[in-house]
Amino acid sequence: MSAELTDDMIVCRCEEVTVGEIKEAIREGARDIVGVKRRTRAGMGLCQGRTCEKLVQQLLVQELGISPKEAGTSSARPPVRPVTFGELAKGEVL
Amino acid sequence: MLEKDVLVIGAGPAGLAASIEAGKYGASVLLVDLNMQPGGQLFKQIHKFFGSSAHRSGTRGYDIGKQLLKEAEESDVEIWMQSTVIGIFPGNKIAIEKGLDSGEKEMVTMQAKKIIIATGASENAIRFKGWTTPGVMGAGAAQTMINVNHVKPGQKIVMLGTGNVGLIVSYQLMQAGCDVVSLIEAAPKIGGYAVHAAKIRRAGVPIRLQHTIIEAKKGADGCVCGCVIAQVDEHFQPIPGTEETIACDTIALAAGLKPTMDLVKLAGCKLTFNGPFGGYIPLHNERMETSCEGVFVAGDTTGVEEANTALEEGKIAGISAAEDLGLLTADAASDKRAEIWDRLHSLRLGPFGERRMIEKEVVMDEYKERIGTPSPIQ
């Protein structure tokens, strides 16, 4: 929001990605949520971006002067929630 | 493979209403939810709802939840709790991590003729220095702790945000025996209803308008021991020199919600961006069907609103699923939907509701333009 952002502030808690790392990814060419995710792993952890996606969106909007819509949204792939290999191995095959 | 007419994902007001409706017309319904208890947010709502008598005004969310569970049972809805949908695949195949009574989990693959996604919404985070310190949490999380788990999140609470969630949860924290020290609001006026704000004011709790939290202070134990607030200018930027430190052990964030979209995305439903509804949402028509044939949505997943609108949208989704299964004639289904849409119109009146009514129409117009006829899951 409004408070000053220091580069060491954590944005994605699951993957421990900081404001500085996300700004760096944007400097390297990330233009949307997916671009930041691919470069930094922000949104790839346990919560799958439920907490940080909006914060990453705000950084993109602020750094690039784009709209929240242009910042896009991440894609989802199965499994969308954490599941153990043991459970997967025991389960039925699709 | 397990087969069902309808799979409903999410057992909140929208999912329960959809299950009841589809079950009522004879569909076999499986309702899954990852939580321990069904009801979604309803069982946390110990206050009385507003609105017309058709929408159970004056009834507590808690009691609405109990009534819905009874109706679900009467409609022969099968409910799996602590069960999580982890994949949706072509041919309407669904992978579910099923919670067993033993506490263990088991992977189950099933096929559903119709899928209704009612996965609700999640709370927005706000970043400020120290926002990841233990003791900073969503207002909804604090509400779950007091009203569901009967555990106080802390003793001295600062609430950020004065929308209805911020106001109601602050009051319920006081009822639970917490000391709510202050409410902080960046806007120049209170966001929620005056009746809720009045309760806070009568209790003597200050509401600090045009202020924001700029830092969570960490104590020797590593947890929150206070917060620094500052006045903001008209661009919501903190004004240097206006900082104040407030002692507290909990900072609750009531900064709005965003629709939970993972399964909608997984099914491949076409999305649209809608600011007032909380961000990207699935396009849907007046039958609550998405761009994917046989995939319906209802409740906060379609845009953040309230329990009442979620219930009504759930009913529409259930009716449409039953219609497509041949359990209800097209005429009967369309009459029933028209009645519900009338009620939804009356719910979406007033300064808060009207904008949502307009936005709903925008979403459905875009559906007509971009989708027209839905196609199967790819």
Side-chain angles (χ1 to χ4, degrees):
Chain A
M1 218 171 111
S2 43
E4 197 188 318
L5 300 174
T6 52
D7 277 356
D8 61 349
M9 185 189 288
I10 297 274
V11 175
C12 168
R13 311 176 74 156
C14 305
E15 296 290 319
E16 299 192 348
V17 184
T18 63
V19 167
E21 287 169 300
I22 289 168
K23 284 186 177 171
E24 175 69 23
I26 294 169
R27 276 196 295 276
E28 284 173 2
R31 287 294 171 268
D32 54 19
I33 303 268
V34 173
V36 170
K37 183 174 170 178
R38 284 190 182 135
R39 285 172 177 84
T40 65
R41 292 195 57 82
M44 279 190 182
L46 191 69
C47 90
Q48 290 288 293
R50 254 178 303 166
T51 306
C52 71
E53 184 165 318
K54 192 125 186 173
L55 303 179
V56 174
Q57 180 201 73
Q58 287 164 0
L59 277 169
L60 282 158
V61 165
Q62 173 193 312
E63 294 295 303
L64 296 171
I66 58 174
S67 69
K69 180 186 178 176
E70 287 169 314
T73 182
S74 62
S75 38
R77 287 183 190 81
V80 285
R81 294 287 150 90
V83 54
T84 66
F85 279 115
E87 283 168 30
L88 274 180
K90 265 192 270 173
E92 301 162 76
V93 177
L94 278 172
Chain B
M1 195 191 311
L2 174 67
E3 288 180 27
K4 289 278 180 184
D5 289 333
V6 182
L7 170 71
V8 181
I9 309 160
L16 278 168
S19 304
I20 292 163
E21 214 63 24
K24 197 155 76 182
Y25 300 112
S28 62
V29 180
L30 173 63
L31 172 60
V32 299
D33 190 296
L34 50 75
N35 293 292
M36 314 244 310
Q37 299 293 332
Q41 306 303 303
L42 280 172
F43 286 95
K44 291 161 61 173
Q45 311 310 325
I46 57 173
H47 59 281
K48 290 178 180 172
F49 281 27
F50 294 156
S52 65
S53 58
H55 290 105
R56 302 179 169 104
S57 69
T59 311
R60 296 178 197 280
Y62 185 89
D63 292 320
I64 297 172
K66 280 201 286 195
Q67 177 64 27
L68 287 174
L69 287 184
K70 189 168 153 267
E71 288 174 30
E73 205 172 296
E74 286 162 3
S75 299
D76 283 327
V77 174
E78 186 175 345
I79 305 180
W80 292 0
M81 294 312 298
Q82 298 192 69
S83 299
T84 309
V85 172
I86 61 160
I88 298 178
F89 304 95
N92 287 15
K93 287 179 186 165
I94 297 110
I96 306 173
E97 186 196 42
K98 182 186 182 185
L100 306 176
D101 289 339
S102 63
E104 285 171 34
K105 305 272 186 180
E106 177 187 53
M107 283 305 306
V108 176
T109 307
M110 59 94 59
Q111 193 167 27
K113 294 190 183 103
K114 308 293 164 198
I115 302 166
I116 299 175
I117 303 174
T119 47
S122 61
E123 297 193 271
N124 286 332
I126 294 270
R127 52 188 158 78
F128 42 78
K129 192 177 173 193
W131 75 279
T132 54
T133 308
V136 182
M137 67 181 74
Q143 194 185 32
T144 305
M145 289 177 79
I146 49 172
N147 293 351
V148 177
N149 303 312
H150 306 142
V151 175
K152 284 194 264 187
Q155 292 302 326
K156 288 169 84 76
I157 323 268
V158 169
M159 176 70 67
L160 181 64
T162 62
N164 282 325
V165 172
L167 296 173
I168 291 170
V169 174
S170 291
Y171 191 68
Q172 291 176 356
L173 283 161
M174 292 181 217
Q175 290 178 311
C178 299
D179 178 12
V180 177
V181 190
S182 189
L183 282 79
I184 314 293
E185 170 62 59
K189 64 184 183 76
I190 292 166
Y193 293 130
V195 60
H196 294 312
K199 285 180 173 179
I200 308 283
R201 285 245 161 94
R202 279 201 295 272
V205 176
I207 300 178
R208 306 290 296 268
L209 300 174
Q210 288 176 292
H211 276 76
T212 193
I213 295 177
I214 57 171
E215 183 181 349
K217 288 277 186 196
K218 195 187 278 190
D221 60 355
C223 300
V224 169
C225 70
C227 70
V228 181
I229 66 165
Q231 207 179 321
V232 294
D233 62 21
E234 63 272 29
H235 306 295
F236 300 110
Q237 294 306 306
I239 302 169
T242 63
E243 298 87 357
E244 275 172 66
T245 302
I246 304 176
C248 64
D249 57 17
T250 306
I251 299 171
L253 309 176
L257 300 145
K258 55 186 174 308
T260 301
M261 296 286 296
D262 346 25
L263 296 178
V264 166
K265 289 179 191 171
L266 213 49
C269 302
K270 295 265 188 306
L271 311 181
T272 186
F273 187 88
N274 189 295
F277 276 142
Y280 277 94
I281 51 169
L283 283 172
H284 65 78
N285 58 19
E286 77 292 342
R287 308 174 69 244
M288 301 313 292
E289 191 168 19
T290 64
S291 65
C292 297
E293 192 187 328
V295 179
F296 301 84
V297 283
D300 278 358
T301 305
T302 71
V304 174
E305 285 190 89
E306 298 183 12
N308 285 332
T309 46
L311 265 167
E312 299 290 19
E313 286 191 349
K315 282 183 192 161
I316 295 177
I319 287 165
S320 302
E323 178 192 4
D324 290 352
L325 289 163
L327 300 168
L328 203 57
T329 65
D331 284 349
S334 127
D335 286 351
K336 283 177 195 303
R337 276 194 297 266
E339 267 174 44
I340 299 172
W341 274 109
D342 279 347
R343 292 205 295 270
L344 276 168
H345 277 280
S346 69
L347 271 176
R348 288 172 178 143
L349 291 174
F352 289 99
E354 203 162 1
R355 191 173 65 168
R356 296 197 292 245
M357 190 70 248
I358 294 164
E359 294 300 333
K360 265 289 160 188
E361 274 156 19
V362 169
V363 171
M364 292 192 288
D365 283 347
E366 193 180 332
Y367 184 97
K368 266 186 223 151
E369 223 169 87
R370 277 175 58 192
I371 317 289
T373 316
S375 40
I377 295 176
Q378 294 295 307

